Amino acid sequence: PPKTLKGQISFLIRQFGSAKAVAAEIGVTADSVNRYRRGARKHARADVAAKIDDTVRQRWQPLVRKRRQRQAATSTGITVETRARFGYTAPIGTTDDGRFRRLTVHLPPQYAQRLFDARETGASDQQMRQIIAEGFKEVYFRDGGARAMALSDVAINVDYLDLDY
């Protein structure tokens, strides 16, 4: 977030649309906000400066989160760290008993996009786990098509899950 008072006020004016709205939010007059924006006042009172800083941080973080989600869904993908019981359906004669594994797998952007879309539409936890299971099946178990092509279904029972994007 912006560090200087002038930068913080300029950001808030862009967010709220006017100096009057910013003034109402932080508890000063619109003239004071305009003085901060112009640089005529370089420092605000301690209580006003704290209120400005809190307001900027509240408005800044959602923008950062949205930008990172957009980046993960289009180019970088998402990293999933989990400890889960994985089971799968495979041909007769293979070991398909579920067992706990601790995995850190980088899923491609299309899985990140599916997860973000599912969360926005209010998908259940089970539906989101299914998307992750499909990603694990393709990336970890099948290795992108290099092995285990007869693997048809992966079941996941999560002990813990951490997403990083």
Side-chain angles (χ1 to χ4, degrees):
K3 299 288 185 214
T4 65
L5 180 62
K6 185 176 178 179
Q8 289 175 332
I9 292 295
S10 296
F11 172 75
L12 290 177
I13 289 173
R14 284 192 308 272
Q15 290 294 305
F16 284 98
S18 70
K20 186 175 179 180
V22 173
E25 179 70 23
I26 63 175
V28 296
T29 65
D31 287 339
S32 292
V33 170
N34 284 321
R35 286 185 194 107
Y36 296 145
R37 182 181 49 82
R38 286 193 319 264
R41 283 191 187 163
K42 303 252 187 241
H43 303 287
R45 290 189 332 250
D47 61 328
V48 174
K51 182 70 173 169
I52 291 170
D53 192 51
D54 289 343
T55 306
V56 166
R57 289 185 186 281
Q58 287 174 352
R59 301 266 179 198
W60 188 265
Q61 188 57 41
L63 297 175
V64 171
R65 188 174 297 118
K66 190 181 293 184
R67 184 175 59 237
R68 293 287 293 166
Q69 285 180 354
R70 187 174 47 247
Q71 182 182 12
T74 58
S75 61
T76 60
I78 191 166
T79 301
V80 179
E81 179 183 340
T82 187
R83 180 174 183 266
R85 180 179 299 277
F86 289 94
Y88 48 87
T89 305
I92 296 174
T94 61
T95 306
D96 60 352
D97 293 334
R99 63 182 185 266
F100 274 103
R101 299 174 192 219
R102 185 180 311 266
L103 298 175
T104 302
V105 177
H106 183 76
L107 299 179
Q110 63 264 24
Y111 291 103
Q113 182 65 49
R114 287 178 58 195
L115 280 171
F116 297 141
D117 290 344
R119 187 174 63 190
E120 285 179 18
T121 60
S124 70
D125 189 47
Q126 185 59 35
Q127 291 169 321
M128 293 175 66
R129 287 180 187 193
Q130 183 59 36
I131 293 169
I132 292 171
E134 290 172 16
F136 275 39
K137 177 177 79 173
E138 186 60 34
V139 174
Y140 180 75
F141 291 105
R142 286 189 177 168
D143 196 17
R147 61 186 169 118
M149 294 309 294
L151 185 66
S152 60
D153 190 28
V154 173
I156 184 172
N157 183 4
V158 176
D159 186 27
Y160 81 88
L161 182 73
D162 184 32
L163 303 174
D164 185 30
Y165 53 93

